[in-house]
Amino acid sequence: TLRPFHILDKEWALLVAGREKPNPMTVSWGGLGTLWNRPVATVYVRPTRFTFGVLNAEPEFTLNVLPESLRPALELCGSRSGRDTDKWTAAGIAPEPSEAVGTPRVRGARLALECRVLATLDLDPARFLDPAVEELYPAKDYHRVYWGEVLAAWEA
């Protein structure tokens, strides 16, 4: 059974951005759906993250759901920066060529989505209707939303 809310919230995924020097980043906020009659994966990246600049320079990404045996890789990729760490080596994971985008997938992923960014939107705190949301941004580093058209999907 596909449990899309459980996957991102509880299992997490690795967002990989970049072609020449791809960087994996752990994500737990996002979604899957349809936008403009296309299948999309939505991800959220803070401007303080190294991946933010990489994703803006090369607007494509892969979203990789890993097996439980690779949970330590998710923890490492969510706690270190690609600015000063080769997260592939440190996490013991390997890139695998994608077919629809230049950004690699993660070898061994249970599910991998290859995506081309269709649009972005910067979250505006003036539009938050629930005041509790603002508490999630003590540094005022509001996410940028990326909608990626899913061009290919792989299941292990």
Side-chain angles (χ1 to χ4, degrees):
T1 301
L2 178 62
R3 296 168 50 191
F5 303 111
H6 179 83
I7 287 173
L8 288 172
D9 186 39
K10 303 299 181 199
E11 294 181 39
W12 309 339
L14 276 185
L15 164 71
V16 178
R19 294 178 181 180
E20 296 300 316
K21 197 173 174 187
N23 183 63
M25 180 186 97
T26 302
V27 295
S28 63
W29 291 5
L32 304 172
T34 304
L35 182 64
W36 302 310
N37 301 316
R38 301 173 195 197
V40 296
T42 305
V43 294
Y44 303 84
V45 181
R46 293 178 192 259
T48 51
R49 302 291 184 225
F50 177 68
T51 300
F52 184 85
V54 176
L55 190 51
N56 289 329
E58 298 174 346
E60 62 184 35
F61 62 90
T62 63
L63 191 60
N64 304 269
V65 178
L66 305 182
E68 183 60 32
S69 62
L70 292 177
R71 182 68 177 197
L74 288 162
E75 292 171 0
L76 184 135
C77 290
S79 64
R80 301 229 183 124
S81 173
R83 286 182 186 95
D84 50 23
T85 302
D86 174 355
K87 292 195 268 186
W88 295 97
T89 301
I93 54 175
E96 180 173 74
S98 292
E99 292 193 13
V101 297
T103 300
R105 303 186 310 253
V106 177
R107 182 175 290 133
R110 293 188 305 118
L111 174 66
L113 305 176
E114 299 178 17
C115 304
R116 175 179 56 94
V117 175
L118 292 170
T120 66
L121 176 73
D122 292 328
L123 292 183
D124 177 359
R127 310 221 15 119
F128 296 164
L129 300 180
D130 181 346
V133 173
E134 181 69 32
E135 295 171 15
L136 298 171
Y137 296 97
K140 308 296 185 207
D141 57 342
Y142 306 104
H143 288 90
R144 176 169 289 168
V145 183
Y146 295 85
W147 286 282
E149 178 180 10
V150 179
L151 301 175
W154 305 92
E155 181 183 26

mmCIF file of all heavy atoms in Angstrom, residues 15-33:
data_model
loop_
_atom_site.group_PDB
_atom_site.id
_atom_site.type_symbol
_atom_site.label_atom_id
_atom_site.label_comp_id
_atom_site.label_asym_id
_atom_site.label_seq_id
_atom_site.Cartn_x
_atom_site.Cartn_y
_atom_site.Cartn_z
ATOM 1 N N LEU A 15 16.431 14.163 -1.345
ATOM 2 C CA LEU A 15 16.340 15.033 -2.503
ATOM 3 C C LEU A 15 17.771 15.191 -3.008
ATOM 4 O O LEU A 15 18.658 15.553 -2.238
ATOM 5 C CB LEU A 15 15.773 16.392 -2.085
ATOM 6 C CG LEU A 15 15.942 17.559 -3.049
ATOM 7 C CD1 LEU A 15 15.041 17.368 -4.252
ATOM 8 C CD2 LEU A 15 15.611 18.869 -2.360
ATOM 9 N N VAL A 16 17.999 14.895 -4.274
ATOM 10 C CA VAL A 16 19.323 15.099 -4.858
ATOM 11 C C VAL A 16 19.198 16.212 -5.888
ATOM 12 O O VAL A 16 18.314 16.176 -6.745
ATOM 13 C CB VAL A 16 19.876 13.817 -5.518
ATOM 14 C CG1 VAL A 16 21.241 14.087 -6.152
ATOM 15 C CG2 VAL A 16 19.977 12.683 -4.499
ATOM 16 N N ALA A 17 20.077 17.205 -5.779
ATOM 17 C CA ALA A 17 20.116 18.327 -6.723
ATOM 18 C C ALA A 17 21.534 18.464 -7.242
ATOM 19 O O ALA A 17 22.497 18.217 -6.512
ATOM 20 C CB ALA A 17 19.674 19.616 -6.039
ATOM 21 N N GLY A 18 21.658 18.862 -8.496
ATOM 22 C CA GLY A 18 22.959 19.107 -9.096
ATOM 23 C C GLY A 18 23.402 17.991 -10.015
ATOM 24 O O GLY A 18 23.120 16.824 -9.772
ATOM 25 N N ARG A 19 24.083 18.396 -11.081
ATOM 26 C CA ARG A 19 24.595 17.431 -12.051
ATOM 27 C C ARG A 19 26.076 17.155 -11.844
ATOM 28 O O ARG A 19 26.492 16.012 -11.708
ATOM 29 C CB ARG A 19 24.390 17.964 -13.471
ATOM 30 C CG ARG A 19 22.954 18.088 -13.866
ATOM 31 C CD ARG A 19 22.840 18.672 -15.248
ATOM 32 N NE ARG A 19 21.445 18.825 -15.618
ATOM 33 C CZ ARG A 19 21.058 19.316 -16.762
ATOM 34 N NH1 ARG A 19 21.944 19.702 -17.653
ATOM 35 N NH2 ARG A 19 19.781 19.415 -17.034
ATOM 36 N N GLU A 20 26.882 18.215 -11.867
ATOM 37 C CA GLU A 20 28.340 18.057 -11.770
ATOM 38 C C GLU A 20 28.774 17.590 -10.380
ATOM 39 O O GLU A 20 29.628 16.742 -10.251
ATOM 40 C CB GLU A 20 29.038 19.374 -12.120
ATOM 41 C CG GLU A 20 28.817 19.822 -13.540
ATOM 42 C CD GLU A 20 29.312 18.809 -14.564
ATOM 43 O OE1 GLU A 20 30.422 18.274 -14.374
ATOM 44 O OE2 GLU A 20 28.582 18.554 -15.535
ATOM 45 N N LYS A 21 28.177 18.196 -9.370
ATOM 46 C CA LYS A 21 28.510 17.851 -7.984
ATOM 47 C C LYS A 21 27.182 17.655 -7.244
ATOM 48 O O LYS A 21 26.766 18.492 -6.444
ATOM 49 C CB LYS A 21 29.333 18.976 -7.359
ATOM 50 C CG LYS A 21 30.052 18.574 -6.118
ATOM 51 C CD LYS A 21 30.973 19.691 -5.649
ATOM 52 C CE LYS A 21 31.577 19.305 -4.327
ATOM 53 N NZ LYS A 21 32.346 20.375 -3.728
ATOM 54 N N PRO A 22 26.493 16.549 -7.527
ATOM 55 C CA PRO A 22 25.162 16.354 -6.932
ATOM 56 C C PRO A 22 25.223 16.273 -5.413
ATOM 57 O O PRO A 22 26.154 15.708 -4.852
ATOM 58 C CB PRO A 22 24.680 15.043 -7.549
ATOM 59 C CG PRO A 22 25.895 14.367 -8.059
ATOM 60 C CD PRO A 22 26.908 15.418 -8.339
ATOM 61 N N ASN A 23 24.219 16.867 -4.790
ATOM 62 C CA ASN A 23 24.171 16.926 -3.336
ATOM 63 C C ASN A 23 22.874 16.301 -2.830
ATOM 64 O O ASN A 23 21.790 16.733 -3.202
ATOM 65 C CB ASN A 23 24.243 18.383 -2.881
ATOM 66 C CG ASN A 23 24.267 18.489 -1.379
ATOM 67 O OD1 ASN A 23 25.187 18.011 -0.727
ATOM 68 N ND2 ASN A 23 23.248 19.105 -0.806
ATOM 69 N N PRO A 24 22.974 15.264 -1.983
ATOM 70 C CA PRO A 24 21.766 14.694 -1.373
ATOM 71 C C PRO A 24 21.397 15.438 -0.093
ATOM 72 O O PRO A 24 22.266 15.773 0.712
ATOM 73 C CB PRO A 24 22.171 13.246 -1.075
ATOM 74 C CG PRO A 24 23.659 13.298 -0.896
ATOM 75 C CD PRO A 24 24.160 14.466 -1.711
ATOM 76 N N MET A 25 20.132 15.732 0.077
ATOM 77 C CA MET A 25 19.621 16.423 1.263
ATOM 78 C C MET A 25 18.366 15.701 1.743
ATOM 79 O O MET A 25 17.466 15.415 0.950
ATOM 80 C CB MET A 25 19.275 17.872 0.899
ATOM 81 C CG MET A 25 18.732 18.670 2.077
ATOM 82 S SD MET A 25 18.162 20.324 1.590
ATOM 83 C CE MET A 25 16.412 20.002 1.404
ATOM 84 N N THR A 26 18.290 15.422 3.004
ATOM 85 C CA THR A 26 17.115 14.770 3.568
ATOM 86 C C THR A 26 15.938 15.742 3.602
ATOM 87 O O THR A 26 16.096 16.891 3.990
ATOM 88 C CB THR A 26 17.415 14.258 4.987
ATOM 89 O OG1 THR A 26 18.526 13.361 4.916
ATOM 90 C CG2 THR A 26 16.221 13.545 5.591
ATOM 91 N N VAL A 27 14.774 15.250 3.174
ATOM 92 C CA VAL A 27 13.551 16.047 3.223
ATOM 93 C C VAL A 27 12.450 15.237 3.905
ATOM 94 O O VAL A 27 12.394 14.018 3.791
ATOM 95 C CB VAL A 27 13.074 16.505 1.817
ATOM 96 C CG1 VAL A 27 14.077 17.457 1.191
ATOM 97 C CG2 VAL A 27 12.820 15.338 0.898
ATOM 98 N N SER A 28 11.600 15.956 4.610
ATOM 99 C CA SER A 28 10.425 15.319 5.210
ATOM 100 C C SER A 28 9.165 16.128 4.944
ATOM 101 O O SER A 28 8.084 15.719 5.323
ATOM 102 C CB SER A 28 10.619 15.129 6.716
ATOM 103 O OG SER A 28 10.745 16.368 7.368
ATOM 104 N N TRP A 29 9.316 17.270 4.315
ATOM 105 C CA TRP A 29 8.165 18.080 3.914
ATOM 106 C C TRP A 29 8.058 18.017 2.403
ATOM 107 O O TRP A 29 9.037 18.246 1.691
ATOM 108 C CB TRP A 29 8.352 19.534 4.342
ATOM 109 C CG TRP A 29 8.299 19.758 5.825
ATOM 110 C CD1 TRP A 29 8.201 18.813 6.796
ATOM 111 C CD2 TRP A 29 8.351 21.019 6.493
ATOM 112 N NE1 TRP A 29 8.197 19.406 8.031
ATOM 113 C CE2 TRP A 29 8.284 20.767 7.874
ATOM 114 C CE3 TRP A 29 8.456 22.328 6.063
ATOM 115 C CZ2 TRP A 29 8.305 21.772 8.825
ATOM 116 C CZ3 TRP A 29 8.485 23.329 7.006
ATOM 117 C CH2 TRP A 29 8.400 23.059 8.376
ATOM 118 N N GLY A 30 6.889 17.718 1.922
ATOM 119 C CA GLY A 30 6.687 17.649 0.482
ATOM 120 C C GLY A 30 5.376 16.971 0.169
ATOM 121 O O GLY A 30 4.555 16.730 1.054
ATOM 122 N N GLY A 31 5.197 16.654 -1.089
ATOM 123 C CA GLY A 31 3.969 15.995 -1.475
ATOM 124 C C GLY A 31 4.020 15.492 -2.904
ATOM 125 O O GLY A 31 4.913 15.825 -3.683
ATOM 126 N N LEU A 32 3.044 14.689 -3.228
ATOM 127 C CA LEU A 32 2.881 14.134 -4.565
ATOM 128 C C LEU A 32 1.476 14.462 -5.028
ATOM 129 O O LEU A 32 0.531 14.392 -4.243
ATOM 130 C CB LEU A 32 3.084 12.619 -4.541
ATOM 131 C CG LEU A 32 4.419 12.131 -3.979
ATOM 132 C CD1 LEU A 32 4.401 10.620 -3.823
ATOM 133 C CD2 LEU A 32 5.565 12.568 -4.872
ATOM 134 N N GLY A 33 1.328 14.826 -6.285
ATOM 135 C CA GLY A 33 0.002 15.152 -6.778
ATOM 136 C C GLY A 33 0.009 15.476 -8.253
ATOM 137 O O GLY A 33 0.903 15.062 -8.994
#
